[in-house]
């Protein structure tokens, strides 16, 4: 009996799947509503998700014409364009039929995950509002719009979503369901973003935070405040900084792999990362070029090593905060790194006070390191 029930369930699933596929194909073969034929005829057609069908065409002037259709009774339907595959930071064209039966099409900037951060009439999409319309026919909604791009779209991160409540005062309610995928506008193929490299993004953040935000500050603290433990402080300092650099380098490699997968346009984070990596490499090279203690050049080496190290720590902290922000890190990342940073700063303040008190008591000059 159990095996028969499982077989029946499997058959039911297959029937539903085939029915959904047939419905989607039928929607592609169905003619557009008459009001759309003039501006939106001759479009390519591709079923993309559930009963969503995407019709599109991109001309030689990089004008993209789109008709997104799906089953509809009430609420809103939206299509977002994302630079990194994520909802936050994307712009979306959203359409709905209002309570008075009037069509509405608006662009929204998705600046956050709450309703207050979904801002109407904002976003990076360039369009002519007169070319947009929404039509409902035979229980299907057709969201039609045209966008002007400065380049020819190829692989584009797309977000589809719908909500069951009619927007009031252009305020979108939370979506009932959504999906994301990469769509190739040259071949018409969709690649599901369920394979978005969340693990790679997490590895990139964790490795860099641990290396540049935890280990390297500890190594710097040892070098400045524990020099009386000679030569132990030196070996600990060199060992910890070298291990931190290797882990940080692994984090950079993960970041490069992540960029190649999602093509995230985050120049500030990437630029700071490159700058920090270059400084880190110079610090490693400086270790092998370190003059003898009695060399006349030693004080200049000390000055360089000291201040370039401070620059690394400062910009690494800035870039970690920036990375958590642009990467959409949740509160655990923010609280965790904030707690770590607070502990390090408190330790530095306490140790610096003790060091300067000792200098004052011993009447010794400030060391050059």
């Amino acid at each position: 009996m159990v095996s028969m029930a499982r077989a029946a369930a499997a058959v039911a699933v297959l029937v539903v799947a085939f029915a959904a596929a047939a419905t989607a194909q039928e929607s592609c073969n169905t003619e557009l509503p008459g009001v759309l034929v003039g501006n939106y005829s001759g479009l390519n057609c591709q079923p993309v998700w559930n009963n969503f069908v995407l019709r599109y065409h991109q001309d030689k002037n990089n004008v993209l014409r789109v008709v997104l259709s799906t089953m509809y009774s009430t609420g809103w339907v939206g299509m977002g364009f994302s630079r990194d595959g994520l909802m936050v930071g994307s712009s979306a064209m959203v359409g709905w039929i209002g309570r008075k039966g009037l069509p509405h099409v608006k662009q929204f900037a998705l600046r956050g995950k709450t309703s207050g951060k979904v801002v109407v009439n904002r976003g990076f999409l360039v369009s002519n509002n007169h070319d947009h319309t929404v039509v409902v026919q035979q229980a299907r909604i057709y969201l039609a719009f045209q966008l002007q791009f400065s380049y020819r779209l190829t692989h584009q991160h797309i977000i589809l979503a719908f909500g069951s409540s009619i927007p009031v005062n252009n305020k979108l309610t939370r979506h009932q369901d959504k999906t994301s995928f990469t769509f190739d506008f040259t071949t018409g193929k969709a690649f599901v973003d369920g394979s978005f490299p969340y693990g790679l993004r997490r590895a990139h953040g964790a490795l860099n935070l641990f290396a540049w935000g935890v280990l390297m500050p500890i190594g710097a603290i040892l070098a400045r405040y524990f020099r009386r433990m000679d030569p132990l402080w030196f070996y600990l300092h060199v060992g910890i900084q070298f291990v931190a650099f290797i882990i940080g380098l692994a984090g950079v490699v993960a970041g490069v792999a992540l960029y190649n997968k999602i093509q995230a346009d985050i120049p500030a984070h990437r630029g700071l990362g490159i700058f920090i990596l270059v400084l880190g490499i110079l610090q490693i090279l400086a270790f092998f070029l370190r003059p003898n203690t009695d060399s006349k050049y030693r004080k200049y080496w000390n000055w360089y090593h000291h201040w370039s190290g401070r620059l690394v720590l400062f910009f690494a902290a800035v870039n970690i905060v920036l990375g958590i922000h642009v990467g959409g890190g949740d509160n655990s990342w923010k609280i965790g790194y904030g707690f770590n940073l607070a502990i390090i700063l408190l330790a530095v303040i306490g140790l610096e006070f003790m060091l300067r008190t000792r200098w004052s008591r011993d009447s010794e000059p400030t060391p050059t390191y």
Side-chain angles (χ1 to χ4, degrees), residues 170-210:
N170 295 323
K171 293 289 186 181
L172 295 184
T173 56
R174 183 174 176 81
H175 56 75
Q176 185 174 335
D177 199 1
K178 71 178 182 69
T179 190
S180 62
F181 54 89
T182 300
F183 191 77
D184 189 340
F185 281 94
T186 59
T187 64
K189 294 182 179 179
F191 305 91
V192 178
D193 278 350
S195 58
F196 182 85
Y198 292 104
L200 191 59
R201 184 179 66 178
R202 187 162 48 248
H204 169 65
L207 288 171
N208 282 311
L209 190 153
F210 182 62

Side-chain angles (χ1 to χ4, degrees), residues 111-248:
R111 298 174 179 172
K113 297 182 179 180
T114 60
S115 179
K117 293 186 177 181
V118 179
V119 185
V120 69
N121 294 328
R122 293 290 187 271
F124 57 75
L125 300 176
V126 179
S127 63
N128 183 345
N129 292 332
H130 298 293
D131 297 327
H132 308 334
T133 188
V134 172
V135 178
V136 174
Q137 179 176 288
Q138 296 180 351
R140 293 189 68 85
I141 186 171
Y142 296 83
L143 169 61
F145 56 88
Q146 298 186 29
L147 301 174
Q148 174 70 63
F149 290 89
S150 59
Y151 55 91
R152 188 163 186 81
L153 283 186
T154 54
H155 292 80
Q156 173 63 47
H157 296 291
I158 298 295
I159 300 172
L160 300 180
F162 65 92
S164 57
S165 299
I166 297 176
V168 177
N169 297 325
N170 295 323
K171 293 289 186 181
L172 295 184
T173 56
R174 183 174 176 81
H175 56 75
Q176 185 174 335
D177 199 1
K178 71 178 182 69
T179 190
S180 62
F181 54 89
T182 300
F183 191 77
D184 189 340
F185 281 94
T186 59
T187 64
K189 294 182 179 179
F191 305 91
V192 178
D193 278 350
S195 58
F196 182 85
Y198 292 104
L200 191 59
R201 184 179 66 178
R202 187 162 48 248
H204 169 65
L207 288 171
N208 282 311
L209 190 153
F210 182 62
W212 306 97
V214 178
L215 289 181
M216 283 206 173
I218 292 175
I221 287 173
L222 287 170
R224 179 164 180 81
Y225 302 113
F226 294 88
R227 294 175 69 87
R228 286 190 171 186
M229 300 170 59
D230 193 42
L232 180 60
W233 74 266
F234 176 76
Y235 295 118
L236 287 175
H237 171 68
V238 172
I240 290 175
Q241 300 302 70
F242 183 74
V243 170
F245 178 78
I246 295 300
I247 296 175

Side-chain angles (χ1 to χ4, degrees), residues 81-109:
F81 291 75
S82 173
R83 290 169 172 158
D84 54 11
L86 303 178
M87 185 195 79
V88 177
S90 63
S91 295
M93 301 300 297
V94 181
W96 67 93
I97 300 298
R99 298 184 185 280
K100 297 182 179 180
L102 298 177
H104 299 265
V105 182
K106 298 287 184 180
Q107 180 179 179
F108 288 83

Side-chain angles (χ1 to χ4, degrees), residues 60-74:
K60 62 181 180 179
N61 297 319
N62 300 326
V63 174
L64 179 67
R65 292 182 296 156
V66 172
V67 177
L68 180 68
S69 60
T70 186
M71 301 302 295
Y72 182 79
S73 58
T74 186

